[in-house]
Amino acid sequence: DEADSLLRRTVRQRPYLAAGYLLLGHIAWERQRWDDALEWYRFAACLDEKDDGLWQAYFRAARQRGQTPDALRFLQTRMGRLGAESSQPARALAAALFDLDQPED
């Protein structure tokens, strides 16, 4: 409870830092508040879309919650925005598709 409280205060003071949202997601996941965790992970991934660890946390949670199509759209949109700068968004999308046994996509 104390960690949750401190992290929420940190997020209020520094809402632009993805790490606080990621950690709140982990806490919510451990407490089996699945939908809250998924939202925290999505916030974190949107704040720092170049951090592949954040998109992976969001994708894994979305997959567990049956929201894989939303996560794939997120990764496709990310690739459209950042694909010209780096191959990493395409590799991340490809990894997600392989995880889903959709290598042809």
Side-chain angles (χ1 to χ4, degrees), residues 37-92:
L38 182 60
E39 200 166 324
W40 289 122
Y41 289 145
R42 186 178 59 81
F43 287 155
C46 289
L47 281 172
D48 189 355
E49 61 186 9
K50 293 183 180 181
D51 184 329
D52 286 335
L54 299 174
W55 81 260
Q56 288 172 343
Y58 170 65
F59 181 77
R60 284 192 306 265
R63 188 171 179 196
Q64 289 288 334
R65 300 301 299 151
Q67 296 186 22
T68 304
D70 292 337
L72 283 176
R73 277 192 297 279
F74 174 82
L75 290 172
Q76 290 166 337
T77 302
R78 177 180 180 250
M79 189 180 76
R81 279 193 314 275
L82 303 174
E85 299 173 26
S86 169
S87 64
Q88 189 55 39
R91 291 191 310 233

